[in-house]
Amino acid sequence: MLKGIPSIISPELLKVLMEMGHSDELVFADGNFPAASHAVRLIRCDGHSIPELLEAVLQLFPLDQYVDKPAALMGVTPGDTVQTPIWDEYKQIVNKHAGNADCFEEIERFAFYERAKRAYAIVATGEKALYANLIIKKGVVVE
């Protein structure tokens, strides 16, 4: 344990966050996402939800201020009637930490998979909400 580091952040996740540089991307994968087959670096956070992990990570991780949309959501497949209330949770968390709830883009499902394959790391979670997958792009620490 360390002071100031949320206890939900494992040593492995903290190491990856420290290694990441400006514009590197981190994927938060829901429980249905093919994380193991898509990841360059896979971090297991089974049993945890994406909102609680996002809340903890954004205490340490600046979003990229040099792009319009430093966060990306997996868009709902056309014709699918699934609702995505978890997206509102993400927007509240991002707004709290970055002051910008309008920084999200929606990406078509297979385009999201391709982008996830190029991400620095994928965090595999136990998130049960559908279409809960999220990519965030790291910014510059200016403190």
Side-chain angles (χ1 to χ4, degrees):
M1 299 286 288
L2 296 171
K3 290 181 176 182
I5 305 293
S7 61
I8 192 173
I9 295 182
S10 67
E12 183 182 18
L13 179 53
L14 184 60
K15 177 185 180 292
V16 163
L17 295 175
M18 290 291 296
E19 291 173 342
M20 291 176 70
H22 177 244
S23 82
D24 280 338
E25 292 186 326
L26 183 68
V27 178
F28 290 101
D30 65 30
N32 289 303
F33 190 85
S37 64
H38 283 56
V40 174
R41 291 168 195 81
L42 180 63
I43 300 160
R44 303 296 318 192
C45 288
D46 304 287
H48 294 293
S49 72
I50 294 175
E52 67 181 331
L53 286 162
L54 181 63
E55 173 70 36
V57 166
L58 288 182
Q59 293 177 44
L60 309 171
F61 184 108
L63 292 179
D64 192 339
Q65 62 273 36
Y66 298 112
V67 296
D68 289 334
K69 306 290 182 184
L73 302 162
M74 178 186 282
V76 176
T77 301
D80 199 336
T81 59
V82 171
Q83 298 297 308
T84 56
I86 197 163
W87 292 3
D88 292 330
E89 289 183 59
Y90 296 165
K91 290 174 184 175
Q92 290 173 355
I93 294 166
V94 167
N95 193 49
K96 174 182 171 186
H97 291 282
N100 184 6
D102 189 34
C103 66
F104 291 85
E105 64 178 314
E106 285 184 41
I107 301 175
E108 183 272 334
R109 178 180 161 211
F110 292 104
F112 190 99
Y113 289 150
E114 290 306 311
R115 188 163 164 186
K117 287 177 185 177
R118 296 186 307 271
Y120 190 84
I122 296 178
V123 179
T125 74
E127 182 57 60
K128 295 177 183 169
L130 299 177
Y131 294 99
N133 304 299
L134 172 67
I135 299 173
I136 57 174
K137 184 180 291 283
K138 189 175 185 184
V140 176
V141 175
V142 292
E143 297 175 6

